[in-house]
Amino acid sequence: MTEDTVPDTIAVEQVSIVPANEASWDDLAAIFGTDAGRCQCQRFKVVGWIWRDSTQEQRTAMLRAQTACGDPDAVATSGLVAYVGNEPAGWVAVEPRTAYPKLRTSRVPWAGRSEDKDDDGVWAVTCFVIRKRYRGRGLTYPLAQATIGFAREHGARALEAYPMITQPGKEITWGELHVGARQVFEEAGFAEVSHPTVRRVVMRVDF
């Protein structure tokens, strides 16, 4: 499927979503490309400042180990991969909240709430990456929905996300929106539990 043939809105029946360990590393690398490829979804994983305390090669190796791509028998993986037809198109990171060391020191998840930071029964959705030619076509909606069943099936008792509030007429760059938009999680069935900053909310599903 070429950029010219990707519809403005991707129909749900065109999308299949699998755990990352059931996808190939080449497919995931195609989704990350070059713009999202610098971080390699390690923003909340690297202790310290990501650009000072890790290299591109280290971040790539970390993502590859975390996802266990190409190993369908792996005990764990760190996210889900979406295909449109047979083409790799999107990624969402979803793991126990304790798997993200930088979340422990972030204001957003904890402000105004009494939460046990060591509770590995609470999972978190931390990042979306959509392949460039599929952006703006609604792919984050089925990815967000898929995180619920995935987390529940792997023993989570709750699932959280930390999305942005988007406002009509106010531009938000794609890079800013890697955490997802509030309406995406609302449609998936998450409920707002706190509003720690002007532009960020905590959304949650309890199982």
Side-chain angles (χ1 to χ4, degrees), residues 3 5 17 39 42 54 57 62-63 88 95 99-100 102-103 106 114 125 127 131 143-144 163 182 184-185 188:
E3 186 168 2
T5 62
I17 298 174
C39 175
Q42 302 305 306
S54 67
E57 292 74 19
M62 290 169 70
L63 179 64
E95 284 188 280
Y100 300 104
K102 288 298 286 293
L103 282 184
S106 171
S114 178
V125 180
C127 184
R131 196 173 182 179
L143 276 168
R182 177 172 60 180
V184 170
F185 290 99

Side-chain angles (χ1 to χ4, degrees), residues 46-58:
V46 174
V47 177
W49 184 40
I50 184 173
W51 308 121
R52 180 195 65 201
D53 298 323
S54 67
T55 65
Q56 178 74 55
E57 292 74 19
Q58 288 171 330

